[in-house]
């Protein structure tokens, strides 16, 4: 019987075991755990990787987004345009600074924000757009920056799912005023705990976020502003330096799997993701659409293939955003996606044999259906 996990994090450790263990011992022996040499080195290395001037390590991806907004004085009374189809963190970051998330429907084929619908959502209170490179595919950043320029809005990236993806040859993280990354363990660049980062070319913004993440202090016990505590720790930074060294290689493995899926599932009834011109996605997720979802999930699980749904409930339908629930037909495309999307297994440790197994099982099950 097959065992194809959705993502194999144990295998990620095994492949890098010696280097990760060495990183662990290096930090433990140093006796220094918060804001030290490892974080500084990782910040420099990740900034270089993203081809930006600054990287600031923070506690997690959610904080990375909210710190970007806060550092740009976005708060109560302001509106921020967000994708309707995203992980809820994008919305929470806006709500947490006291601003209002204004959702815009996705393009049903790329799953990313539909740029044709963005301008209709701009009001006199709109301050920014947070683009999300969902599932690892960059959003249509040139259209978004045109709109942002036209209406004098700030443009940010939520790059939590897109470490290493490029848009017309330029890396995500450097495609806007500032970008947020998550290093949650399952991400393409994942830590072994929580972690996140902000990248930007704006030196003032970088300085402000550095102060905000550390109790509003540049110097211990001298608090310039009311900041928070959101710091990447030394241990996670040391692990991330190891993972960064192999990121491109592991992204290439994901790309090969995605290419195989795209190639071999073309003859099935599944709707496959469409790639936007100029995008080189890193396939954090491989998301298809199907009307036979429940059956596929159940039958695949029976033969040992784990799938997931990203996301089963759109943010506007969540109890956390009850206020918006009254107008349930407001975001029909997102709701249609939430009912039909299915994420197939993908990751650097999924073998091509495993991929073939998933593909042949899908054909067989769809035929039965
Ligand atoms: C699109 C997106 N934004 C933000 C986040 C938040 O990151 P974190 O879990 O590190 O807070 C995640 C992942 O969890 C995500 O997928």
């Amino acid at each position: 019987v097959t065992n194809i996990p959705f993502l194999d994090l144990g295998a990620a450790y095994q492949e890098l075991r010696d280097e990760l263990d060495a990183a662990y011992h290096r930090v433990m022996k140093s006796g220094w755990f918060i804001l030290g040499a490892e974080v500084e080195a990782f910040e420099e290395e990740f900034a270089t990787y993203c081809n930006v001037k600054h990287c600031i390590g923070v506690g997690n991806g959610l904080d990375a987004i909210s710190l970007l907004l806060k550092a740009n004085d976005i708060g109560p009374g302001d509106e921020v345009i967000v994708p309707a189809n995203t992980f809820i963190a994008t919305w929470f970051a806006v709500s947490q600074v006291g601003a209002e998330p204004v959702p815009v429907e996705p393009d049903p084929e790329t799953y990313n924000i539909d740029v044709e619908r963005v301008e209709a959502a701009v009001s006199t209170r709109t301050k920014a757009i947070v683009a999300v490179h969902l599932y690892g595919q960059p959003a249509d950043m040139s259209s978004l920056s045109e709109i942002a320029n036209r209406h004098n809005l700030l443009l940010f990236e939520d790059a939590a799912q897109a470490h290493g993806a490029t848009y017309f040859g330029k890396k995500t993280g450097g495609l806007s005023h500032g970008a947020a990354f998550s290093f949650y363990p399952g991400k393409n660049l994942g830590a072994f705990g929580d972690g996140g980062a902000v990248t930007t070319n704006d030196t003032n913004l970088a300085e402000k976020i550095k102060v905000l993440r550390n109790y509003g202090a540049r110097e211990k016990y001298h608090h310039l502003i009311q900041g928070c505590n959101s710091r990447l720790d030394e241990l996670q930074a040391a692990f991330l330096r190891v993972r960064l060294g192999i990121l491109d290689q592991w992204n290439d493995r994901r790309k090969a799997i995605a290419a195989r899926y795209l190639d071999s599932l073309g003859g099935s009834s599944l709707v496959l993701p469409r790639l936007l011109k100029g995008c080189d996605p890193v396939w954090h997720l491989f998301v298809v659409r199907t009307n036979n979802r429940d059956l596929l999930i159940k039958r695949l699980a029976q033969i040992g293939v784990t799938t997931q749904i990203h996301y089963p409930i759109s943010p506007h339908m969540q109890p956390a955003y009850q206020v918006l629930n009254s107008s349930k037909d407001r975001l029909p495309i997102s709701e249609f996606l939430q009912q039909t999307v299915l994420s197939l297994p993908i990751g650097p440790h999924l073998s091509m044999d495993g991929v073939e197994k998933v593909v042949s099982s899908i054909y067989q099950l769809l035929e039965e259906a």
Side-chain angles (χ1 to χ4, degrees), residues 347-360:
H349 299 93
L350 174 59
S351 70
M352 280 302 166
D353 282 352
V355 176
E356 291 310 330
K357 177 77 190 169
V358 175
V359 169
S360 60

Side-chain angles (χ1 to χ4, degrees), residues 3-309:
N3 177 24
I4 300 179
F6 187 73
L7 175 71
D8 192 347
L9 287 178
Y13 170 62
Q14 287 305 335
E15 185 177 337
L16 301 172
R17 188 175 180 155
D18 292 346
E19 286 171 84
L20 289 169
D21 287 356
Y24 168 80
H25 288 296
R26 190 171 71 236
V27 173
M28 295 309 278
K29 283 182 196 156
S30 79
W32 192 273
F33 302 103
I34 297 288
L35 296 183
E38 297 289 341
V39 170
E40 263 177 42
F42 172 73
E43 288 175 339
E44 209 174 299
E45 289 158 14
F46 194 57
T48 302
Y49 179 84
C50 296
N51 206 11
V52 293
K53 282 197 200 138
H54 309 281
C55 167
I56 307 100
V58 299
N60 53 66
L62 171 62
D63 286 356
I65 312 168
S66 64
L67 284 168
L68 265 175
L69 300 173
K70 197 167 175 194
N72 281 285
D73 298 317
I74 293 170
D78 298 334
E79 290 179 357
V80 176
I81 291 173
V82 295
N85 184 45
T86 181
F87 178 58
I88 203 163
T90 322
W91 289 45
F92 274 2
V94 175
S95 301
Q96 279 181 6
V97 299
E100 194 184 324
V102 176
V104 170
E105 288 270 53
D107 173 326
E109 291 184 320
T110 65
Y111 310 111
N112 269 323
I113 194 165
D114 183 350
V115 293
E116 301 292 327
R117 294 169 185 267
V118 172
E119 242 165 341
V122 175
S123 81
T124 52
R125 297 200 287 143
T126 312
K127 288 284 154 58
I129 303 170
V130 181
V132 180
H133 307 309
L134 201 67
Y135 311 147
Q137 169 159 219
D140 181 353
M141 294 304 286
S142 64
S143 301
L144 290 173
S145 62
E146 255 173 52
I147 296 166
N149 287 340
R150 197 151 52 230
H151 297 276
N152 202 18
L153 309 175
L154 290 165
L155 177 60
F156 302 115
E157 295 157 80
D158 175 344
Q161 303 188 356
H163 319 75
T166 60
Y167 180 77
F168 290 95
K170 279 187 78 178
K171 286 250 171 65
T172 59
L175 302 169
S176 65
H177 188 44
F181 285 91
S182 163
F183 305 127
Y184 183 78
K187 301 297 194 226
N188 290 38
L189 178 59
F192 294 84
D194 275 314
V198 169
T199 56
T200 181
N201 283 311
D202 180 337
T203 304
N204 288 332
L205 176 60
E207 276 308 307
K208 204 160 174 193
I209 289 175
K210 267 192 172 176
V211 170
L212 274 172
R213 76 168 170 184
N214 189 27
Y215 286 109
R218 200 170 279 133
E219 206 186 317
K220 213 167 188 183
Y221 306 129
H222 290 76
H223 305 278
L224 307 166
I225 45 176
Q226 293 175 10
C228 63
N229 175 5
S230 186
R231 304 172 293 216
L232 183 66
D233 66 71
E234 287 286 285
L235 208 43
Q236 297 307 332
F239 293 147
L240 285 166
R241 293 179 70 194
V242 176
R243 290 281 306 259
L244 182 59
I246 203 157
L247 175 61
D248 285 342
Q249 222 174 301
W250 284 12
N251 278 345
D252 284 344
R253 293 190 207 165
R254 288 174 177 273
K255 289 178 194 182
I257 293 166
R260 188 71 71 92
Y261 275 145
L262 285 171
D263 208 41
S264 49
L265 289 170
S268 76
S269 64
L270 299 182
V271 180
L272 302 177
R274 183 172 66 87
L275 300 191
L276 201 70
K277 194 166 162 258
C279 287
D280 187 11
V282 289
W283 300 103
H284 175 58
L285 296 168
F286 191 89
V287 178
V288 300
R289 277 194 282 124
T290 172
N291 294 324
N292 293 307
R293 187 171 72 180
D294 291 350
L295 186 86
L296 265 183
I297 292 174
K298 200 172 111 198
R299 294 288 183 77
L300 284 169
Q302 280 166 354
I303 57 167
V305 176
T306 310
T307 55
Q308 290 187 9
I309 298 173

